[in-house]
PDB file of all heavy atoms in Angstrom:
ATOM      1  N   ILE A 905     -53.629  22.388  -9.702  1.00  0.00           N
ATOM      2  CA  ILE A 905     -53.817  21.535  -8.507  1.00  0.00           C
ATOM      3  C   ILE A 905     -55.050  20.602  -8.706  1.00  0.00           C
ATOM      4  O   ILE A 905     -56.063  21.027  -9.199  1.00  0.00           O
ATOM      5  CB  ILE A 905     -54.141  22.354  -7.273  1.00  0.00           C
ATOM      6  CG1 ILE A 905     -52.974  23.270  -6.945  1.00  0.00           C
ATOM      7  CG2 ILE A 905     -54.400  21.471  -6.077  1.00  0.00           C
ATOM      8  CD1 ILE A 905     -53.158  23.883  -5.572  1.00  0.00           C
ATOM      9  N   THR A 906     -54.866  19.367  -8.208  1.00  0.00           N
ATOM     10  CA  THR A 906     -56.014  18.531  -8.131  1.00  0.00           C
ATOM     11  C   THR A 906     -55.920  17.757  -6.837  1.00  0.00           C
ATOM     12  O   THR A 906     -54.807  17.566  -6.313  1.00  0.00           O
ATOM     13  CB  THR A 906     -56.092  17.534  -9.325  1.00  0.00           C
ATOM     14  OG1 THR A 906     -57.156  16.609  -9.087  1.00  0.00           O
ATOM     15  CG2 THR A 906     -54.821  16.719  -9.466  1.00  0.00           C
ATOM     16  N   ASP A 907     -57.099  17.370  -6.272  1.00  0.00           N
ATOM     17  CA  ASP A 907     -56.966  16.683  -4.978  1.00  0.00           C
ATOM     18  C   ASP A 907     -57.030  15.169  -5.154  1.00  0.00           C
ATOM     19  O   ASP A 907     -57.061  14.419  -4.156  1.00  0.00           O
ATOM     20  CB  ASP A 907     -58.051  17.181  -4.020  1.00  0.00           C
ATOM     21  CG  ASP A 907     -59.438  16.978  -4.495  1.00  0.00           C
ATOM     22  OD1 ASP A 907     -59.597  16.355  -5.626  1.00  0.00           O
ATOM     23  OD2 ASP A 907     -60.389  17.464  -3.850  1.00  0.00           O
ATOM     24  N   SER A 908     -57.088  14.728  -6.389  1.00  0.00           N
ATOM     25  CA  SER A 908     -57.051  13.264  -6.581  1.00  0.00           C
ATOM     26  C   SER A 908     -55.930  12.884  -7.490  1.00  0.00           C
ATOM     27  O   SER A 908     -55.744  13.385  -8.615  1.00  0.00           O
ATOM     28  CB  SER A 908     -58.367  12.792  -7.224  1.00  0.00           C
ATOM     29  OG  SER A 908     -58.182  11.474  -7.649  1.00  0.00           O
ATOM     30  N   PRO A 909     -55.080  11.933  -7.049  1.00  0.00           N
ATOM     31  CA  PRO A 909     -54.002  11.469  -7.923  1.00  0.00           C
ATOM     32  C   PRO A 909     -54.510  10.826  -9.196  1.00  0.00           C
ATOM     33  O   PRO A 909     -53.765  10.750 -10.215  1.00  0.00           O
ATOM     34  CB  PRO A 909     -53.234  10.460  -7.043  1.00  0.00           C
ATOM     35  CG  PRO A 909     -54.199  10.030  -5.965  1.00  0.00           C
ATOM     36  CD  PRO A 909     -55.148  11.186  -5.807  1.00  0.00           C
ATOM     37  N   ASP A 910     -55.781  10.393  -9.159  1.00  0.00           N
ATOM     38  CA  ASP A 910     -56.306   9.655 -10.327  1.00  0.00           C
ATOM     39  C   ASP A 910     -56.367  10.504 -11.585  1.00  0.00           C
ATOM     40  O   ASP A 910     -56.386  10.013 -12.693  1.00  0.00           O
ATOM     41  CB  ASP A 910     -57.711   9.112 -10.010  1.00  0.00           C
ATOM     42  CG  ASP A 910     -57.634   8.095  -8.953  1.00  0.00           C
ATOM     43  OD1 ASP A 910     -56.638   7.336  -8.898  1.00  0.00           O
ATOM     44  OD2 ASP A 910     -58.576   8.031  -8.060  1.00  0.00           O
ATOM     45  N   PHE A 911     -56.444  11.835 -11.401  1.00  0.00           N
ATOM     46  CA  PHE A 911     -56.524  12.739 -12.542  1.00  0.00           C
ATOM     47  C   PHE A 911     -55.164  13.018 -13.226  1.00  0.00           C
ATOM     48  O   PHE A 911     -55.113  13.522 -14.335  1.00  0.00           O
ATOM     49  CB  PHE A 911     -57.184  14.042 -12.159  1.00  0.00           C
ATOM     50  CG  PHE A 911     -58.622  13.899 -11.723  1.00  0.00           C
ATOM     51  CD1 PHE A 911     -59.021  14.308 -10.484  1.00  0.00           C
ATOM     52  CD2 PHE A 911     -59.562  13.343 -12.564  1.00  0.00           C
ATOM     53  CE1 PHE A 911     -60.370  14.162 -10.089  1.00  0.00           C
ATOM     54  CE2 PHE A 911     -60.858  13.195 -12.191  1.00  0.00           C
ATOM     55  CZ  PHE A 911     -61.274  13.587 -10.933  1.00  0.00           C
ATOM     56  N   ILE A 912     -54.131  12.761 -12.466  1.00  0.00           N
ATOM     57  CA  ILE A 912     -52.824  13.205 -12.933  1.00  0.00           C
ATOM     58  C   ILE A 912     -52.424  12.632 -14.290  1.00  0.00           C
ATOM     59  O   ILE A 912     -51.993  13.405 -15.150  1.00  0.00           O
ATOM     60  CB  ILE A 912     -51.700  12.869 -11.861  1.00  0.00           C
ATOM     61  CG1 ILE A 912     -51.928  13.714 -10.603  1.00  0.00           C
ATOM     62  CG2 ILE A 912     -50.317  13.042 -12.412  1.00  0.00           C
ATOM     63  CD1 ILE A 912     -51.624  15.165 -10.730  1.00  0.00           C
ATOM     64  N   PRO A 913     -52.545  11.333 -14.542  1.00  0.00           N
ATOM     65  CA  PRO A 913     -52.167  10.830 -15.851  1.00  0.00           C
ATOM     66  C   PRO A 913     -52.846  11.560 -16.994  1.00  0.00           C
ATOM     67  O   PRO A 913     -52.190  11.967 -17.991  1.00  0.00           O
ATOM     68  CB  PRO A 913     -52.511   9.341 -15.846  1.00  0.00           C
ATOM     69  CG  PRO A 913     -52.504   9.008 -14.382  1.00  0.00           C
ATOM     70  CD  PRO A 913     -53.026  10.248 -13.683  1.00  0.00           C
ATOM     71  N   ASP A 914     -54.150  11.824 -16.855  1.00  0.00           N
ATOM     72  CA  ASP A 914     -54.873  12.473 -17.914  1.00  0.00           C
ATOM     73  C   ASP A 914     -54.414  14.003 -18.087  1.00  0.00           C
ATOM     74  O   ASP A 914     -54.272  14.488 -19.165  1.00  0.00           O
ATOM     75  CB  ASP A 914     -56.401  12.514 -17.678  1.00  0.00           C
ATOM     76  CG  ASP A 914     -56.995  11.128 -18.009  1.00  0.00           C
ATOM     77  OD1 ASP A 914     -56.254  10.319 -18.657  1.00  0.00           O
ATOM     78  OD2 ASP A 914     -58.155  10.853 -17.627  1.00  0.00           O
TER      79      ASP A 914
END
Side-chain angles (χ1 to χ4, degrees):
Chain A
I905 298 191
T906 174
D907 60 5
S908 168
D910 295 325
F911 295 122
I912 293 290
D914 283 348

